Amino acid sequence: MDAHNPIENSPHPDIALNSSSRKSNSSSQSKASSRASIREGDSALQTFSVESFRNSGSKPMRYGSRGAGSEGLNMSQKEIKDEDSRFIYINDPDKTNERFEFAGNSIRTGKYTILTFLPRNLFEQFHRVAYIYFLVIAVLNQLPQLAVFGRGASIMPLAFVLLVTAVKDAYEDWRRHQSDQIENNRVASVLVNGQFQPKKWKDIRVGEIIKISSDDTLPCDMVLLSTSDPTGVAYVHTINLDGESNLKTRYAKQETLSKMPQKEGIRGLIKVELPNRNIYGFQANMEIDGKRVSLGPSNIVLRGCELKNTAWAIGIVVYAGRETKVMLNNSGAPSKRSRLETYMNREIILLSLFLIALCTVVSSCAGVWLLRHRDELDYLPYYRRKDFSESEEENYNYYGVGMEIFFTFLMSVIVFQIMIPISLYISMELVRVGQAYFMIQDTRLYDEASDMRFQCRALNINEDLGQVKYVFSDKTGTLTENKMEFQCASIWGVDYSGGKVALPGESVGCSVEVDGQVLRPKMKVKADPELQQLLHSGKETKEGKHAHDFFLALAACNTVVPLLVDTSNPALRLIDYQGESPDEQALVYAAATYGFMLIERTSGHIVIDVQGERQRFDVLGMHEFDSDRKRMSVILGFPNKSVKVFVKGADTSMFSITDRSLNLNVIRSTETHLHTYSSMGLRTLVIGMRELSASEFEQWQSSYERASNALMGRASILRGVADSVENNIRILGASGIEDKLQEGVPQAIESLRQAGIKVWVLTGDKQETAISIGYSSRLLTREMTQIIINNNSKESCRKSLEDANAMSKNHAAVSAGTQSTERGSGSSKTLLALIIDGTSLVYILDTELEELLFQLASECSVVLCCRVAPLQKAGIISLIKNRTDDMTLAIGDGANDVSMIQMADVGIGISGQEGRQAVMASDFAMGQFRFLVPLLMVHGHWNFQRMSYMILYNFYRNAVFVLILFWYVLYTAFTLTTAITEWSSVLYSIIYTSLPTIVVGILDKDLSRRTLLKYPQLYGVGQRQESYNLQLFWLTMMDTLWQSFVIFFVPFFAYRRSTIDGSSIGDLWTLAVVILVNIHLAMDVLRWTWITHAAIWGSIVATFISVIIIDAIPQLPNYWAIFHVGKTGSFWLCLLAILVAAILPRFVVKVFSQYLRPCDVQIAREAEKFRNQREFVSVGVEMNPILDPPQEMRR
């Protein structure tokens, strides 16, 4: 059971949009209510035949699958239609699978098989438009008429890149297959021929009976038949399902408890609903021994759960393999691509069009030239169509003017192919590896508690960390430590905290001696000395009696199970309290600290050591918590034969059943204390009790038994029984519990908000818990207006969404008017917070209502989604992804977060107490939520800035080289000959210019870590894509065009009347372009290191050396060219003129833009230059607004 204490004491009125029919037709709105208020049915039920199964239905589910609390009707209120069900014969798998072969228990999470790997992997890789371009180039180069380069050489670059990526993908998928193999080959005990025998998980079939021992993991979804507990109770951990690490209770039906399958044959028929993703709901009927009983969520244990505190459990397999609920909630590992790469495809298409234009110009001009010189083609020395080597004159492969134009076009494509650099992809991968190394080595991302460094599990989306607009976070274990601490109490109108979060006094422990052994609670709680003194004084005073009843209620009114843990001291054992709710655990530990120690619990009685005296109380009945009543109660039989009902729950629920005519002052004082506790972010519960007369108890008992035996509407009837006894309650007091947030969570959320990032919390917890955490984490504030949507039908959801949208628009209009009239007062608009539950999302997701939800959520600063199933989390993220271009990030720590992590653009796993499933499915992994701030604000910003610049620089670097070749072609009869040697063309992208851009992409920093953390608004640079956009691309191309023009025409005009040969001027162009692009890079470097100096200036030196070596080889046509031209002064003068003329416009524009229209980064960088901290602080660093509306997706 989840915690159930709300924080509802906001001075701002909440706008609650609830369906009026909620209580009348919904009895299973949440996981808690799915457990149906009460342990279902320990009594004999009515008899039915197989033919009496009646029809009903369940709908197929996608993202809107029945999440936490999603069933509109309780399983006992409706039947299952035959077409929506399956029949399972107990202990007869052959007959069960006779008509339909149900899924086997083997699972597969890998993306590929041996047959599908090659086509699917290539298909995914060729999503990169550039790869298609290089493939076309390689194919063209295979044609004899177009073979400009060697055929093998043209294929090798693309083949190498494809191979490296394929090997990486194959290794990752091999690891998934290895994990699947380990899982499938685990062994379980299956009943075969009257004996339990070991059987591999993958061989288990639906209909078989299996036996699970303590601490074993369930291999499939099974209905409990019997357990080692005589009452049929089994305790399970559901970490792998809902992320909760607390014990949950499941029950076997009384009709099957006494049956021993290995000794007596057990036969029966179960009619179950079709497999679905709803982990909180289950609907089935079972006929056994001529009796028909209904089965619900409390009777099924799901695959992935672990059996705890129960020696063994026996059950019947109802779902196996891919049909189990946990596998149906596994959406699979999607292929993620960097958003920057997606945008880059757009620029590559533009460059391709530019390349086609260049080739069209060359081929068209070549056609004109051929027509103008058609009479001279036979004898022109540099064209010569005739072949005179043979006795009979022939034409050299001349195909006519039309075909010559076509071939010229294709050859131009091959010659100019580096316009789109394949080296860019290799450089990007290397830069990402370097960036990942520094993220992993960052000590500020190291978690000492778990001894865990940051993990970079996906190297292809590092830069996406700098563009995140939405963060979707789990609650338990992600924002919180999932550890509750009792902080304060209000008892009979007296506050025992003094208004402080922490109680005064030292940490104390309480111990009792049982059978010669000392028992002590595992966890200590800070105690209030005044309250301890009051309890030690006994029940002689009125205050002491009320305090006694208060702590007795804390110890008894729960489902906590005490487990004994051995210590190094044989005489000392620790009591570890395990329960479904960490709140309950905290309250029981607090009761133990104050002398009310729960020692033993069975389904029929509890034993509590009360101030050193062991007392046994009979548990006559228990009404568990549900989301409608928002409270739970237990009916205890005392040793003196009296019967009392103890109730605890949310304040609104408890005060509604209180007799306010009695002790009105106590109630008012308690309400005041509750408000104080809530304002401190504590989770609150109100405690009450009343004594039952013999007639009241008998009436309740008979009603309880009738309700337990009801087949139709059982949950609703049980709720009515609970309401009949939970009335005229006398308030004992209230408790305040701190759900310990992880260190730095409130500060982290505040920083994310300042950075313009919207934080949504998606949790399986109930609404009150999520709201409470929202306040304590500063996600919610008292000034926010809350919009609460809890509905159980599509029409009520529609009405609530329409009303909420209308309200939000009016609210925005009023806020805008207030701001315009009070602009000088500095008032800011009131923010909206949307709170919606999983039941409502069932009817919204995957329907036309999604658009209404999106419109509403877009107007809200905070969104809390409660009681959501794992796949609903993914559906919510899909809602944003499908309608905006905004980057999404999901962070969680449990297996229930896997679908969400995989759906988001960036998935981050927290390595916590809930296993490693989230880490294994994530792109990045770390130890604490607070690390998200340096990860995004610092590394994300750096990575995006570096990668953006590197891509634009690579486009510029290669385009300027291609344009030099283009200008040369225009002056050489369009013959596609080049003055730059083939070796220099090859080395240009490998040695001359590749290393500097990689080094800068890894090491450069536009701003320091300190500045980026101090001004979270700077993160908006990535969200607004200021470093990479279409405008910057066109400006870069204009600069490229100018620089190529200067590089070509300065030597052209300088040497046009000379006798310089093509090789010599080609060397000049080679050196000029290499020096220019490196100086261009140097102008933009912001953080110089010795490695940066070595890479940039070393590349220029390496170019000179390479050109000298190439020109010193006699076999090459450009032999000794550099030595001839390098001796002249005009050579060096041209080099200097080229550099000055090419760089000057860029330098001027850069200076004026920074002084006249500086961006946020430039302003912050100027502020960094002030060494004196006071000067630095006094600088008015005004950032651009960041609270932008969602960017609508460009369609």
Side-chain angles (χ1 to χ4, degrees):
M1 184 178 69
D2 295 305
H4 44 272
N5 38 315
I7 300 285
E8 296 178 351
N9 302 309
S10 172
H12 224 309
D14 294 348
I15 295 89
L17 304 171
N18 298 307
S19 170
S20 60
S21 61
R22 177 180 173 91
K23 288 191 176 183
S24 62
N25 66 352
S26 172
S27 60
S28 182
Q29 303 300 322
S30 65
K31 180 176 67 173
S33 56
S34 292
R35 289 194 292 272
S37 313
I38 252 188
R39 302 174 182 177
E40 294 184 5
D42 291 333
S43 357
L45 302 178
Q46 302 176 31
T47 302
F48 286 85
S49 64
V50 176
E51 289 74 15
S52 67
F53 280 125
R54 296 190 333 196
N55 296 332
S56 74
S58 60
K59 298 180 181 178
M61 293 167 254
R62 293 187 289 165
Y63 287 128
S65 63
R66 306 289 186 189
S70 58
E71 295 181 75
L73 296 173
N74 184 268
M75 75 293 301
S76 63
Q77 288 179 290
K78 59 180 181 179
E79 295 292 333
I80 315 171
K81 293 181 181 178
D82 285 342
E83 60 269 25
D84 293 331
S85 64
R86 58 171 53 172
F87 290 93
I88 297 171
Y89 296 88
I90 298 175
N91 199 24
D92 194 345
D94 294 329
K95 190 173 182 180
T96 299
N97 293 272
E98 183 178 33
R99 184 178 176 188
F100 300 107
E101 185 67 30
F102 298 138
N105 203 40
S106 178
I107 63 168
R108 183 170 70 87
T109 59
K111 289 172 58 178
Y112 310 107
T113 65
I114 294 177
L115 293 178
T116 63
F117 175 75
L118 191 60
R120 184 174 177 182
N121 187 261
L122 288 176
F123 175 77
E124 291 175 354
Q125 290 201 58
F126 275 100
H127 274 83
R128 289 174 167 173
V129 177
Y131 284 12
I132 299 175
Y133 166 79
F134 293 123
L135 180 64
V136 172
I137 295 296
V139 170
L140 290 177
N141 205 63
Q142 305 308 304
L143 303 177
Q145 297 88 345
L146 306 175
V148 178
F149 306 109
R151 295 181 179 179
S154 63
I155 295 176
M156 286 302 295
L158 178 60
F160 175 75
V161 175
L162 292 174
L163 178 64
V164 170
T165 306
V167 169
K168 182 196 74 171
D169 292 342
Y171 173 71
E172 291 177 352
D173 203 58
W174 175 79
R175 290 176 60 188
R176 283 191 284 265
H177 280 286
Q178 288 292 104
S179 176
D180 292 343
Q181 188 174 0
I182 294 172
E183 189 83 354
N184 289 329
N185 288 323
R186 296 174 70 175
V187 176
S189 295
V190 179
L191 185 66
V192 180
N193 298 325
Q195 291 185 342
F196 284 105
Q197 299 178 5
K199 195 173 187 179
K200 290 183 178 179
W201 279 21
K202 64 182 179 181
D203 298 326
I204 293 174
R205 295 193 297 166
V206 174
E208 290 185 321
I209 294 178
I210 62 175
K211 183 177 182 180
I212 305 298
S213 300
S214 182
D215 296 327
D216 283 352
T217 301
L218 271 292
C220 51
D221 295 353
M222 75 174 194
V223 169
L224 281 177
L225 297 177
S226 60
T227 71
S228 57
D229 187 280
T231 60
V233 178
Y235 299 97
V236 294
H237 268 172
T238 58
I239 287 176
N240 293 332
L241 292 173
D242 55 18
E244 297 292 338
S245 58
N246 307 302
L247 283 181
K248 307 290 192 302
T249 51
R250 297 293 181 263
Y251 310 99
K253 285 294 184 179
Q254 187 179 15
E255 288 74 13
T256 61
L257 275 182
S258 59
K259 296 186 179 297
M260 303 297 291
Q262 64 271 39
K263 295 181 180 179
E264 54 180 304
I266 178 171
R267 297 294 176 184
L269 177 66
I270 301 178
K271 182 181 181 182
V272 302
E273 62 184 349
L274 293 178
N276 59 71
R277 299 185 176 104
N278 182 12
I279 65 173
Y280 300 112
F282 175 67
Q283 181 182 353
N285 294 317
M286 177 171 62
E287 182 171 308
I288 188 164
D289 294 339
K291 295 181 180 180
R292 183 181 174 213
V293 296
S294 63
L295 303 173
S298 61
N299 307 121
I300 187 172
V301 188
L302 305 182
R303 178 181 180 127
C305 295
E306 294 182 11
L307 191 66
K308 295 290 184 182
N309 200 36
T310 307
W312 52 264
I314 295 175
I316 174 76
V317 179
V318 290
Y319 304 122
R322 64 179 180 273
E323 293 181 342
T324 57
K325 293 181 182 291
V326 67
M327 292 305 298
L328 289 173
N329 273 283
N330 183 359
S331 58
S335 299
K336 293 186 180 181
R337 291 189 300 143
S338 163
R339 182 69 59 85
L340 206 54
E341 277 193 40
T342 305
Y343 294 148
M344 195 173 74
N345 285 341
R346 175 190 62 195
E347 274 69 60
I348 286 177
I349 292 174
L350 293 175
L351 284 175
S352 299
L353 296 175
F354 183 54
L355 175 64
I356 291 172
L358 294 182
C359 296
T360 302
V361 170
V362 171
S363 58
S364 300
C365 292
V368 172
W369 187 90
L370 287 173
L371 291 174
R372 289 178 59 186
H373 297 84
R374 58 181 176 271
D375 298 331
E376 309 168 50
L377 293 180
D378 291 345
Y379 307 104
L380 283 176
Y382 48 85
Y383 190 89
R384 208 178 60 160
R385 182 172 56 185
K386 291 292 183 182
D387 180 5
F388 300 103
S389 60
E390 302 293 337
S391 57
E392 185 178 346
E393 295 182 6
E394 294 181 354
N395 284 347
Y396 282 112
N397 294 331
Y398 184 75
Y399 301 97
V401 174
M403 290 304 295
E404 288 294 318
I405 292 175
F406 178 67
F407 287 143
T408 301
F409 178 86
L410 295 181
M411 292 175 67
S412 301
V413 172
I414 297 173
V415 172
F416 299 153
Q417 64 176 299
I418 67 167
M419 173 72 78
I420 299 166
I422 194 170
S423 61
L424 171 59
Y425 291 99
I426 300 174
S427 298
M428 289 173 68
E429 295 302 324
L430 293 174
V431 167
R432 285 166 176 159
V433 170
Q435 292 173 348
Y437 171 79
F438 285 107
M439 286 192 289
I440 293 170
Q441 295 299 317
D442 190 347
T443 56
R444 295 170 182 83
L445 299 180
Y446 169 71
D447 182 33
E448 266 187 61
S450 60
D451 189 27
M452 177 186 175
R453 288 190 176 275
F454 180 81
Q455 296 180 26
C456 187
R457 303 176 56 82
L459 291 176
N460 56 331
I461 58 173
N462 291 353
E463 57 272 19
D464 284 353
L465 292 170
Q467 307 169 74
V468 173
K469 186 69 175 179
Y470 287 87
V471 168
F472 299 89
S473 175
D474 178 39
K475 181 193 75 69
T476 306
T478 303
L479 297 179
T480 69
E481 295 180 356
N482 203 20
K483 297 176 182 177
M484 310 294 177
E485 278 192 10
F486 180 87
Q487 293 292 337
C488 48
S490 169
I491 302 176
W492 202 247
V494 179
D495 180 15
Y496 291 97
S497 70
K500 298 178 182 178
V501 175
L503 289 171
E506 299 293 329
S507 292
V508 296
C510 181
S511 60
V512 298
E513 187 172 339
V514 178
D515 298 330
Q517 284 190 321
V518 176
L519 303 183
R520 181 179 299 163
K522 184 178 178 181
M523 189 176 76
K524 294 181 180 180
V525 178
K526 291 182 180 180
D528 186 290
E530 182 184 352
L531 184 54
Q532 282 186 314
Q533 185 64 36
L534 177 64
L535 290 168
H536 286 315
S537 65
K539 297 190 289 184
E540 291 136 6
T541 64
K542 190 176 182 181
E543 292 80 7
K545 182 178 183 303
H546 291 311
H548 178 278
D549 291 339
F550 178 86
F551 282 104
L552 183 61
L554 295 189
C557 189
N558 54 68
T559 58
V560 168
V561 179
L563 303 179
L564 297 181
V565 180
D566 293 328
T567 65
S568 56
N569 183 359
L572 174 65
R573 302 182 78 183
L574 300 180
I575 300 181
D576 182 13
Y577 291 117
Q578 288 288 326
E580 295 189 12
S581 165
D583 297 71
E584 288 192 338
Q585 293 172 263
L587 293 176
V588 175
Y589 275 117
T593 299
Y594 284 98
F596 293 75
M597 188 181 299
L598 177 64
I599 296 176
E600 179 184 344
R601 175 183 294 277
T602 70
S603 59
H605 72 271
I606 56 175
V607 176
I608 301 175
D609 184 281
V610 179
Q611 299 291 324
E613 178 185 351
R614 293 185 65 184
Q615 297 184 21
R616 172 179 166 142
F617 302 89
D618 293 326
V619 179
L620 303 176
M622 179 178 290
H623 295 273
E624 293 189 3
F625 176 87
D626 69 66
S627 60
D628 287 328
R629 290 164 45 247
K630 295 184 180 179
R631 58 182 179 267
M632 75 167 293
S633 60
V634 61
I635 299 175
L636 295 184
F638 280 66
N640 62 3
K641 305 303 180 181
S642 63
V643 177
K644 296 180 181 179
V645 56
F646 291 91
V647 190
K648 70 177 182 183
D651 50 2
T652 52
S653 172
M654 291 294 293
F655 288 133
S656 67
I657 60 172
T658 300
D659 186 356
R660 300 185 73 91
S661 63
L662 300 174
N663 305 305
L664 186 59
N665 292 334
V666 173
I667 295 175
R668 288 176 177 173
S669 298
T670 304
E671 288 176 333
T672 302
H673 298 155
L674 282 170
H675 181 74
T676 302
Y677 298 164
S678 299
S679 64
M680 296 188 296
L682 300 181
R683 301 153 69 94
T684 58
L685 280 177
V686 175
I687 315 298
M689 65 160 285
R690 80 179 177 98
E691 189 168 345
L692 298 179
S693 64
S695 60
E696 285 178 319
F697 173 71
E698 288 175 3
Q699 182 180 356
W700 169 85
Q701 191 174 36
S702 60
S703 300
Y704 177 82
E705 289 177 356
R706 284 196 303 270
S708 299
N709 292 333
L711 269 179
M712 301 297 293
R714 182 189 311 159
S716 177
I717 299 173
L718 283 171
R719 186 177 297 110
V721 174
D723 290 338
S724 69
V725 75
E726 296 169 352
N727 57 64
N728 296 323
I729 296 298
R730 185 181 67 197
I731 294 296
L732 293 175
S735 64
I737 302 172
E738 181 185 10
D739 183 1
K740 290 187 70 66
L741 290 171
Q742 290 186 11
E743 181 185 349
V745 166
Q747 296 81 359
I749 289 178
E750 183 61 28
S751 294
L752 293 174
R753 182 176 287 154
Q754 290 178 20
I757 297 174
K758 290 189 175 183
V759 181
W760 291 24
V761 174
L762 316 179
T763 176
D765 280 346
K766 65 180 185 303
Q767 186 171 292
E768 292 80 7
T769 304
I771 293 174
S772 175
I773 290 300
Y775 281 116
S776 58
S777 64
R778 299 183 195 169
L779 189 66
L780 295 175
T781 64
R782 299 292 166 185
E783 292 73 29
M784 286 184 178
T785 300
Q786 293 181 10
I787 302 174
I788 301 176
I789 298 180
N790 299 326
N791 301 108
N792 52 25
S793 71
K794 187 173 182 179
E795 288 309 312
S796 59
C797 285
R798 185 192 305 276
K799 185 177 186 306
S800 294
L801 288 173
E802 290 173 350
D803 292 346
N805 272 305
M807 187 275 297
S808 67
K809 290 177 182 177
N810 294 335
H811 190 84
V814 171
S815 297
T818 304
Q819 280 187 304
S820 61
T821 56
E822 301 180 12
R823 192 175 303 274
S825 64
S827 61
S828 60
K829 73 171 187 176
T830 305
L831 303 179
L832 299 178
L834 172 63
I835 300 163
I836 186 169
D837 68 349
T839 308
S840 303
L841 291 173
V842 167
Y843 304 103
I844 295 174
L845 296 180
D846 298 320
T847 71
E848 69 277 7
L849 300 184
E850 276 193 346
E851 187 62 33
L852 290 174
L853 176 61
F854 171 74
Q855 294 172 8
L856 176 60
S858 299
E859 296 297 324
C860 297
S861 302
V862 175
V863 177
L864 291 181
C865 300
C866 322
R867 285 300 191 192
V868 288
L871 213 67
Q872 283 182 317
K873 294 183 178 183
I876 293 164
I877 296 176
S878 179
L879 175 76
I880 298 299
K881 289 181 65 176
N882 293 339
R883 288 167 173 78
T884 74
D885 273 340
D886 294 328
M887 185 73 65
T888 59
L889 180 148
I891 180 169
D893 70 321
N896 61 319
D897 302 316
V898 168
S899 295
M900 171 179 75
I901 287 172
Q902 292 178 337
M903 174 58 68
D905 296 303
V906 180
I908 297 181
I910 298 287
S911 180
Q913 303 178 21
E914 301 183 4
R916 290 184 53 82
Q917 287 83 359
V919 170
M920 296 301 293
S922 65
D923 306 307
F924 306 95
M926 55 191 186
Q928 295 282 329
F929 180 86
R930 72 177 187 274
F931 296 157
L932 199 58
V933 173
L935 179 64
L936 298 183
M937 308 297 158
V938 180
H939 291 287
H941 175 87
W942 284 343
N943 293 345
F944 180 71
Q945 295 287 100
R946 296 161 175 168
M947 193 64 74
S948 300
Y949 180 80
M950 193 190 78
I951 292 172
L952 290 174
Y953 175 79
N954 272 269
F955 287 155
Y956 148 77
R957 182 192 68 183
N958 283 42
V960 73
F961 189 84
V962 169
L963 286 172
I964 294 171
L965 300 179
F966 172 74
W967 300 128
Y968 185 76
V969 167
L970 298 183
Y971 286 90
T972 54
F974 318 102
T975 55
L976 294 171
T977 57
T978 60
I980 299 175
T981 65
E982 291 183 4
W983 277 102
S984 290
S985 298
V986 172
L987 295 176
Y988 178 75
S989 297
I990 299 176
I991 295 179
Y992 297 170
T993 58
S994 62
L995 186 59
T997 181
I998 293 173
V999 170
V1000 171
I1002 295 174
L1003 298 179
D1004 198 33
K1005 298 177 183 177
D1006 59 346
L1007 291 169
S1008 67
R1009 177 190 297 269
R1010 179 181 179 184
T1011 300
L1012 291 171
L1013 292 176
K1014 184 173 183 179
Y1015 300 106
Q1017 299 93 328
L1018 291 168
Y1019 187 76
V1021 172
Q1023 295 171 337
R1024 296 187 294 269
Q1025 297 169 11
E1026 292 182 5
S1027 305
Y1028 188 92
N1029 52 57
L1030 200 56
Q1031 181 183 4
L1032 275 178
F1033 172 76
W1034 287 120
L1035 288 174
T1036 302
M1037 289 300 104
M1038 290 172 60
D1039 190 27
T1040 300
L1041 190 64
W1042 164 255
Q1043 292 189 22
S1044 68
F1045 189 87
V1046 171
I1047 293 173
F1048 178 82
F1049 284 101
V1050 167
F1052 176 80
F1053 287 114
Y1055 288 103
R1056 64 176 179 167
R1057 300 188 184 280
S1058 69
T1059 57
I1060 190 172
D1061 62 329
S1063 297
S1064 298
I1065 201 169
D1067 287 343
L1068 173 57
W1069 282 330
T1070 299
L1071 293 173
V1073 71
V1074 171
I1075 296 173
L1076 178 62
V1077 298
N1078 278 287
I1079 290 179
H1080 178 111
L1081 179 64
M1083 284 178 60
D1084 295 329
V1085 172
L1086 301 168
R1087 289 289 193 276
W1088 284 92
T1089 66
W1090 70 267
I1091 300 177
T1092 311
H1093 281 288
I1096 293 178
W1097 313 124
S1099 294
I1100 296 176
V1101 173
T1103 303
F1104 271 95
I1105 294 173
S1106 298
V1107 169
I1108 291 172
I1109 292 174
I1110 292 171
D1111 284 3
I1113 300 175
Q1115 288 79 9
L1116 298 180
N1118 52 315
Y1119 177 64
W1120 220 249
I1122 187 65
F1123 299 100
H1124 288 302
V1125 73
K1127 293 186 294 185
T1128 63
S1130 57
F1131 171 85
W1132 299 102
L1133 190 60
C1134 277
L1135 206 56
L1136 180 61
I1138 288 170
L1139 298 178
V1140 173
I1143 288 293
L1144 188 60
R1146 174 178 177 78
F1147 178 78
V1148 171
V1149 170
K1150 190 172 183 179
V1151 169
F1152 275 91
S1153 65
Q1154 289 190 12
Y1155 275 93
L1156 298 179
R1157 295 185 60 187
C1159 65
D1160 289 348
V1161 172
Q1162 292 163 350
I1163 295 172
R1165 196 159 55 239
E1166 287 298 315
E1168 279 187 349
K1169 295 179 181 179
F1170 290 88
R1171 296 184 179 180
N1172 189 310
Q1173 185 61 29
R1174 292 181 180 177
E1175 289 181 310
F1176 182 82
V1177 172
S1178 67
V1179 175
V1181 184
E1182 183 178 349
M1183 303 298 172
N1184 287 324
I1186 55 175
L1187 297 176
D1188 304 325
Q1191 301 177 22
E1192 291 294 335
M1193 179 169 286
R1194 294 182 283 274
R1195 301 186 185 277

